[in-house]
Structures are given as C-alpha cells and as structure tokens.
Amino acid sequence: MKVGLKITILAILPILLTVLIAFGVGLYQKGILQTFFGHEIEAQAQNEARKIAQAVYLMCRSAQESVQKTVDTNLRVAGDVLARAGKVSLGRESLRWEARNQFTGEVTDVFLPPLLVGGRWLGKNDDFATPTAVVDAVCDLVGGTATIFQRINDAGDMLRVATNVEDSEGRRAIGTYIPSVNPDGDRNPVVEAVLRGETFSGMAYVVNDWYLTAYRPIFDEAGDQVIGALYVGVKQENVESLRQGIMDMVVGKTGYVYVLGGKGEHQGRYIISQNGERDGENLWASQDSDGRLFIQAIIGKALSLPLYQREDNIPVAFERYPWKNPGETEPRYKAVAIAYFAPWDWVIGAGYYESDLRESQERMVEALRDMGRWLGGSALVMMLLAIPVGYLVARSISLRVDSILKSVTDILIAVDARDRVLLLSQAAEEFLGMPLKKARFRPLRKVIGDPAVRRRILAALEPKQGGTRFDLELPGTGGAAGRILEGRTSRVHRQGRGAAGTIIIMHDVTSERRIDRMKSEFISTAAHELRTPLSSIVGYSELLISQSGHLTEEERKSLDYINRKAWNLSKIVDDLLDVSRIESGHALPLEKTACDLNALLRQAVAAAGRLTGKHRIELQVADEPAVLAVDVGKIEQVLENIFGNAVKFSPQGGVIRVTGRDDADEYRIYVEDEGIGMTPEQVEKVFDKFYRADTSNTAVEGTGLGMSIVRHIVDAHGGHVEIDSRVGQGTRVVVGLPKNA
C-alpha cells in the first residue's frame, strides 16, 4: 500500500470513528428524548380525559342524589294527598280496559272492578283539559308527574288508571301498563318491589321515556293484598343544568363528552351528543374506519367496569379507534376515556383526537428527525471536509436543539447527575434571566438568582428519584398579579447504566388555582346565604311543633323530620364556613378561658350517651380538676365530632372507651371504639376535606369535614391529633393539648 494512501487512511480513520461515535450518541439521545416526551404527553392526554370522565360521573351522582331526594319527598306528599282523598277500594262491577304494554305496544282487553278513592271512581280521563283527582293535585303541589296504578292480575301487571304522564299523542297515558316481565325476560324491578310491599326508588322506564321515580304499593282495605301502586317521577332529561354542563365540556382542542345508553331499549343510543344535535340516534351498529364495531366495544368495556365503591377512584377504561370525519381524506385516531354510571345506565365517554393533543409531540419528533438527518448528512460531509465541516455540523446541531427547546412552551430545565444545567427551553431562559449558552454546565444553584426559588427547586431535586411535584409562587411585578407554577421532576435513565440526569418541567397553573379559589369563595358565599333561611326553617318548624296538639301524627312526624334535617343542614353550613375560613388563610378565632377538661369530658360523654342506645360509653378521668386554657366551644366541637364518629362507625354497638390523662406537658384524650375500622390508606386521607372512608349507598350520613375541622381546631391550640385503626377491630383517636399554649 502506498504511503500516501496509508496517511490518507490514518487521517480519515480517527475522524470517521469520531463521526460514527457522535452519530451513535446523537441517535441514542434522540431515542431517549422522543420516548420520554412521547410517554409524558400521552400520559397527560389520558389523564386529562380520565379526569373529565370522572368529573362527569361525579356530576351525575350529585344530580341523581339531589333529584332522587326530591322525588322521594314528592312521594310522601302524594301519599298524604291520597290519604286525604279517602280510602282506596275496589268496586263490584267490572269495567273493560284496553291495556297497552308500555314496552311492546301490545294491546289486551282486561276487565277490572273500578278503583275507588274515598268511594268515588277515578274515571277514564285521558284529556289534560279535564282534571283528574289526586294526580293533578300532587302535580300542583310538587310538580313532576304522578300516577295511580291498578293491579291487573296475579302476576302483578300494573295498569295506569289515573295519570298526568303524557303519551306520544299528547294525551294522558291511561290504559298503558307496566308488565311484570320485561321484554328481555327479566322481572321488572318496579313490579317486584311493589308486590313485596316495598317502595321502589330509582331510574325506571315510564310509557316512552326514562324518569327518576318512586313507587309505593297501595293495599286493599284489609291491608293484606297489593291492589295497585302510587307513583311520582321527574323526567331524566329535565336535569337540564347537568346536560348543558356535559355538552359544554371540551377535551383537548376539539374533543367532547358524550353519553350513550348501556342496556335495554336505549342501548347504543345517544343520550347526550355533541351540542345535543344527535340525541336519540342509535349508534349500536356503527363501525370505525377498520370496520370494527367500536360502539359495541366501548359499551362492553363500560359494563365490565367494577362498580364505584367510593373509597377508590372512579373506574375508567380506554378505547382507541380510527375515525374519518366527512371531508377528511385520512382517518384520525380517537381515544376515549369510558366511565359507567350504573344508577342511570349511562356510558360516559370523554373522547379526543390524538392529533389534537399531541401536536407538541409531533413537532418535537419532527425536529428530532431533522436532527437525525442532519447528523447522517454531516457524517458523510465530515469524511470529505474533516475539521472545518465538523464545526459547521456542531453549529447545525446546536440550532436544531434550540429549535426543539423553543417549541416547548413550558419551563423545561434539564440537568445532569451532578445537577449541572444541560438544556433550557426558551421559557426557562426567560424565567432564569440567563441564556443557555451562559448557563450550560454551570451548577443549577448558581444559575437561579432568587433565593426562595432556588431553595424550592433544589429541594425537589434532592430525592434523586424523580416524580417529585411542587408548587412555586411568583410575586407580580409592576402591579401585575402573581403567578403559580406547578413543577414536576423526572429522571432520565440510560439503558442499563443508571440515571443520566433530571428534567424539571414547570407549568403555569395560575388560572386553575384561581378557579379553585373561586370554588372556595362560592362555598363560603353559599354557606353564608343559607344561614338566614335555615334559621327561619328551624324557628318556624319548632314553633309548629310546639303546637302539636292541633296536628295529626303524620304532620307531627313531618315537622320533626323537617326540623331535624334543618339542624343537620345548619351544622353542615357551620362546617363549610369553618373550612372556608381556613382555606382563606385565616386562623380559627379562639376565645381561651380556664376550663376543667375532666369535667368537660364528663359532660361530652353524657351528651354522647343520649345519641345511642346500642353503645356503652366508659369514661376514665381523675377526680381532681385538670385546668387548661382552651376555647371551650371549639373543644366541645372536637369531642362532638370524635364521639359522633365512634358511634356512627360502630353500627353493631359495643364499648366506647374515653380516657382523659393529665401528662407532664400536655393533656391527652383517648377515644377507642370497636367499630368497622379503617385501612392505612383511609387513615392517611381521613383529615382531607370532604373525605369519607365509607362512601357506599349504605354509608352513614356525613360531609367528610368533621375530622378536617378537628385537626385545624387542635392545631390552633398548638396540639396534635393521632389516629390508629384496624379494619374490623376499631379505631383509636388521640388528642393532645399542650398546657403552656
């Protein structure tokens, strides 16, 4: 081989190796960044859709509970109206009815004795211009719809003989009946409950639509046999604020929330569509661009979700499918977060186009691809031009990296394993007041000028594990409002070689936090506005109760119920006001006076004993006084909440042990029960606002504010609260109050 050729090879070989190594490193880092940001953006998109689906579920649950309570109250009013109209009985002669099955439309002739109320027949009135006894009176009092049913046969088919439910022709739907067996062969739950002599409350199909309903059996004069039923209900579609709220939700840029029927007659039908334009349309047989029955897949996943038990997050499933809209040349992939609200048989979908929510990812991927192309081309050029071209390639790479970072709108800071700055987005340069050229390879602590900001960010990096979340409050300048940044750290790992560094991403959440404050202000305003009408309700109900000599037993019970619920609501309002005061940053006002805590415990235990007949409360305190300076009213509130929980969450009764102990530097109160107990996860959340360990339909009443307020009151006294609990064994609450506070 000629010397010149050897020299040429020796000159080219080191450069070639350098280029190949640099090219390989560039591709490696490109893959890491592409994977990392791709996963982060995808996770963020799914998380947003999941939260929206869960939020809609909670909206439905709140609306369902509110409306159902109204319907149940309306049923009591209807029962009172029917009772005042007279006894329900059957006549002797038979009347012919054309009974129409409300599901199938099948008509059958039946002969029944007339149903009499107060000795008078209700008639066969299908004209809304002519009043019908009882049902129209109920409608005038409480609104909604009302019906009186007559039992047709031994199977329990229920015929509407008096109603203000409208049929498809705009007339009273008399003559329609609820069959005891649904078209799918299952027993009708309404008929089953009524025949058992029970009241049915919940969603039911009425004539030609879905209603939130309540049905109560009507017995014969002897009280032995069910001869009919009394119904009240409100159309499901009448919850207009809920429908509008769902239609107003936006997922990503162009995504939206919709609701489909899950089972039965409305399976696969739009209940709530985008802007309400396709409500009622049946999508069961709809296919995506691959010919797959995606609606059936969505509903199948929804129905297979576990029921929401309230102690866990609302279950959500995901479905992904290609969809081509009219006017588009290529299908786009859609993803939908699916939740199932079983009480209404609603399949909730929060759908978004992946292309909408992943635009930043696509820009980043494209920029990284450009970088790869430039590296490949540069390798070939460097073999020919060597060092001068190497400089140009390095400059090109730097420009490409800068373009990537400029495309990231959030504050992004990448540091190595020794917390030295590697990359800054354009927003990060503005935030730090320093360009990347000046900050690169410098320790992050020397780049951040503001001491408070420096301490907060370095503390987030300290664990060296990633996944740390933190908030950063920035004061406003020049009269402008301040900002709140939400930060998150993520570790960047090399395959098999440990962590390469950490990425810090900070996002402006000022508007979100402002919305949270608006929610708190709304709660505070609503609570203040409720106090005056509640005081009137309590006062007037007590005045009416004091005149019980002029009331019937049913009226007295109703007044007692109103008074009791008004007091309960008043306590909830007081709790909301306390929470509002705490969230606004104001400490709870304390009026401390010298108080014998042993005597206070005796009084509280005596009051708690009057709340239950199934529990034995054992008190152990010293005979001599234990005097501390405390706010007596607030400490009584603490004891009331703790004792109340011990009673409520011990449904089988048992012993509640209360101990007051005067230690050297503090007074300790121990409350132990033998109730249902809590898991460690529930214990961690028990002091959170609105958290309830048991949120099932059979759970005890409560707002989940009690223990949160307990902690704030005890903290205001300089004390502490501890909870130890075991599932199935009970709970122990320890309150420590300092003597020198």
Side-chain angles (χ1 to χ4, degrees):
M1 184 179 294
K2 295 182 180 180
V3 175
L5 181 59
K6 290 182 179 180
I7 294 175
T8 303
I9 294 174
L10 291 175
I12 293 176
L13 186 59
I15 298 174
L16 177 61
L17 292 175
T18 302
V19 169
L20 291 177
I21 292 172
F23 185 66
V25 169
L27 290 179
Y28 178 72
Q29 292 296 331
K30 168 182 173 290
I32 289 178
L33 290 175
Q34 182 173 336
T35 301
F36 171 76
F37 286 112
H39 289 168
E40 283 293 305
I41 294 173
E42 183 65 27
Q44 181 181 0
Q46 285 198 358
N47 191 46
E48 178 186 355
R50 177 186 292 106
K51 288 183 177 179
I52 291 176
Q54 291 173 335
V56 174
Y57 183 101
L58 293 175
M59 289 167 59
C60 293
R61 189 185 71 185
S62 176
Q64 184 249 351
E65 290 175 351
S66 174
V67 176
Q68 192 62 57
K69 285 181 180 179
T70 301
V71 171
D72 292 343
T73 301
N74 292 353
L75 182 61
R76 288 193 291 272
V77 174
D80 184 67
V81 172
L82 181 60
R84 291 173 181 271
K87 292 184 178 180
V88 179
S89 60
L90 297 175
R92 297 182 178 179
E93 299 180 358
S94 294
L95 298 175
R96 176 178 170 273
W97 287 87
E98 290 185 354
R100 181 182 299 274
N101 188 311
Q102 72 171 17
F103 293 116
T104 65
E106 180 182 357
V107 177
T108 306
D109 285 345
V110 296
F111 293 87
L112 300 173
L115 188 70
L116 309 179
V117 177
R120 299 178 59 187
W121 181 41
L122 293 173
K124 288 186 179 180
N125 178 29
D126 64 353
D127 187 1
F128 278 100
T130 302
T132 296
V134 180
V135 294
D136 286 349
V138 173
C139 182
D140 291 340
L141 287 173
V142 297
T145 57
T147 298
I148 296 177
F149 289 89
Q150 183 175 354
R151 183 173 178 175
I152 297 177
N153 47 36
D154 292 339
D157 296 345
M158 291 291 174
L159 180 70
R160 291 180 179 85
V161 296
T163 185
N164 53 24
V165 176
E166 186 175 327
D167 63 15
S168 59
E169 297 178 355
R171 306 188 68 81
R172 297 179 187 264
I174 62 168
T176 59
Y177 71 94
I178 305 175
S180 58
V181 178
N182 289 337
D184 58 7
D186 293 336
R187 294 283 299 173
N188 187 281
V190 173
V191 174
E192 273 197 313
V194 171
L195 292 183
R196 289 196 304 266
E198 300 172 359
T199 296
F200 173 89
S201 294
M203 187 73 67
Y205 192 76
V206 179
V207 182
N208 52 20
D209 215 330
W210 288 90
Y211 285 67
L212 294 171
T213 68
Y215 294 79
R216 192 178 79 178
I218 297 175
F219 293 91
D220 59 11
E221 292 184 274
D224 299 330
Q225 186 178 11
V226 175
I227 62 173
L230 177 64
Y231 147 91
V232 294
V234 177
K235 253 190 181 183
Q236 178 184 4
E237 296 179 354
N238 288 347
V239 190
E240 186 57 37
S241 59
L242 173 64
R243 292 178 56 83
Q244 191 59 48
I246 292 175
M247 287 190 292
D248 288 343
M249 286 188 170
V250 179
V251 187
K253 287 182 63 177
T254 60
Y256 55 90
V257 179
Y258 57 85
V259 176
L260 300 170
K263 302 176 184 175
E265 295 293 323
H266 67 318
Q267 185 178 53
R269 291 186 182 276
Y270 260 136
I271 295 174
I272 300 177
S273 60
Q274 186 180 20
N275 300 322
E277 296 173 354
R278 301 174 65 184
D279 289 359
E281 183 178 337
N282 193 331
L283 305 179
W284 180 251
S286 296
Q287 298 179 353
D288 62 19
S289 297
D290 292 340
R292 195 170 61 93
L293 298 170
F294 69 100
I295 292 294
Q296 296 183 22
I298 289 173
I299 294 177
K301 286 188 176 181
L303 298 180
S304 65
L305 287 172
L307 294 179
Y308 177 39
Q309 299 298 321
R310 298 197 179 195
E311 68 268 15
D312 301 318
N313 287 331
I314 298 168
V316 175
F318 282 88
E319 179 70 16
R320 182 173 180 266
Y321 57 91
W323 185 253
K324 182 179 178 182
N325 288 313
E328 294 180 345
T329 57
E330 296 292 335
R332 294 187 294 165
Y333 270 95
K334 289 189 73 172
V336 58
I338 308 162
Y340 181 58
F341 188 62
W344 291 356
D345 190 32
W346 276 17
V347 176
I348 301 166
Y352 61 91
Y353 286 103
E354 292 181 354
S355 59
D356 289 346
L357 293 177
R358 297 176 61 183
E359 289 181 356
S360 57
Q361 181 188 16
E362 292 172 359
R363 290 196 302 269
M364 191 170 300
V365 169
E366 185 59 35
L368 289 170
R369 287 173 180 168
D370 287 346
M371 184 179 69
R373 298 188 192 101
W374 275 94
L375 284 173
S378 300
L380 179 61
V381 172
M382 286 185 68
M383 290 179 61
L384 302 174
L385 301 179
I387 296 175
V389 177
Y391 171 78
L392 297 176
V393 172
R395 180 177 176 82
S396 174
I397 295 174
S398 176
L399 292 175
R400 293 298 172 182
V401 172
D402 289 343
S403 68
I404 295 171
L405 294 175
K406 288 180 181 179
S407 69
V408 178
T409 57
D410 288 340
I411 297 173
L412 184 148
I413 303 173
V415 297
D416 62 13
R418 298 169 61 184
D419 294 342
R420 296 180 301 181
V421 176
L422 296 178
L423 295 173
L424 297 175
S425 67
Q426 187 174 8
E429 291 181 343
E430 296 174 359
F431 173 71
L432 297 174
M434 183 180 297
L436 177 60
K437 291 180 180 179
K438 187 176 180 181
R440 180 176 284 146
F441 303 125
R442 292 183 60 185
L444 185 60
R445 65 178 179 275
K446 294 184 179 181
V447 174
I448 304 174
D450 189 297
V453 174
R454 184 191 312 123
R455 286 194 298 271
R456 192 71 188 90
I457 294 178
L458 293 180
L461 289 173
E462 186 64 28
K464 299 296 183 183
Q465 294 178 349
T468 302
R469 296 180 180 273
F470 60 93
D471 285 348
L472 195 61
E473 295 190 12
L474 303 177
T477 57
R483 294 187 300 155
I484 301 175
L485 302 180
E486 182 180 77
R488 177 180 178 183
T489 65
S490 298
R491 298 289 279 174
V492 179
H493 296 274
R494 292 193 182 97
Q495 296 178 358
R497 288 190 291 171
T502 306
I503 292 180
I504 306 167
I505 299 177
M506 290 182 284
H507 176 65
D508 193 325
V509 294
T510 306
S511 60
E512 290 88 338
R513 299 299 170 83
R514 185 180 298 116
I515 292 174
D516 288 341
R517 287 196 297 270
M518 291 172 62
K519 291 178 181 177
S520 298
E521 291 171 1
F522 172 75
I523 291 175
S524 176
T525 302
H528 279 289
E529 293 296 328
L530 283 172
R531 297 193 75 173
T532 299
L534 277 176
S535 298
S536 300
I537 293 172
V538 171
Y540 280 116
S541 62
E542 290 179 348
L543 176 61
L544 291 173
I545 291 172
S546 67
Q547 301 174 358
S548 58
H550 304 288
L551 301 175
T552 65
E553 180 65 18
E554 184 69 21
E555 290 172 337
R556 187 187 63 77
K557 288 182 179 178
S558 297
L559 284 173
D560 285 341
Y561 178 83
I562 291 170
N563 183 260
R564 185 170 66 256
K565 290 301 181 180
W567 274 113
N568 290 343
L569 187 56
S570 179
K571 185 178 183 305
I572 292 173
V573 169
D574 290 339
D575 288 347
L576 288 173
L577 289 173
D578 284 342
V579 170
S580 176
R581 188 181 296 110
I582 293 166
E583 288 187 340
S584 64
H586 297 90
L588 288 174
L590 299 180
E591 297 181 3
K592 292 185 177 182
T593 57
C595 171
D596 179 5
L597 288 184
N598 288 340
L600 188 62
L601 273 178
R602 294 188 189 98
Q603 296 173 6
V605 167
R610 293 191 290 271
L611 296 176
T612 176
K614 297 194 299 182
H615 300 77
R616 186 174 79 255
I617 303 179
E618 297 179 354
L619 173 64
Q620 187 177 12
V621 294
D623 294 332
E624 60 273 11
V627 179
L628 269 75
V630 297
D631 187 316
V632 177
K634 291 289 191 295
I635 298 301
E636 286 178 343
Q637 186 178 358
V638 168
L639 296 176
E640 178 185 346
N641 282 331
I642 296 175
F643 291 169
N645 283 345
V647 171
K648 289 189 293 186
F649 293 102
S650 304
Q652 303 303 320
V655 178
I656 298 175
R657 299 177 182 86
V658 181
T659 305
R661 182 181 300 166
D662 191 357
D663 290 342
D665 55 351
E666 68 178 5
Y667 185 90
R668 288 193 167 215
I669 302 170
Y670 300 83
V671 181
E672 302 176 71
D673 62 57
E674 299 175 345
I676 59 178
M678 294 181 287
T679 65
E681 293 77 12
Q682 292 170 337
V683 172
E684 289 183 2
K685 299 178 181 178
V686 74
F687 294 110
D688 294 348
K689 296 187 298 294
F690 302 108
Y691 177 76
R692 299 172 64 201
D694 181 7
T695 55
S696 64
N697 291 333
T698 59
V700 296
E701 294 183 352
T703 60
L705 294 174
M707 291 308 296
S708 175
I709 293 174
V710 164
R711 166 167 279 184
H712 284 293
I713 292 175
V714 175
D715 287 348
H717 282 81
H720 60 91
V721 184
E722 301 170 5
I723 294 181
D724 182 28
S725 186
R726 297 291 184 275
V727 175
Q729 299 180 19
T731 300
R732 183 179 77 162
V733 180
V734 182
V735 176
L737 297 172
K739 292 183 177 181
N740 57 357

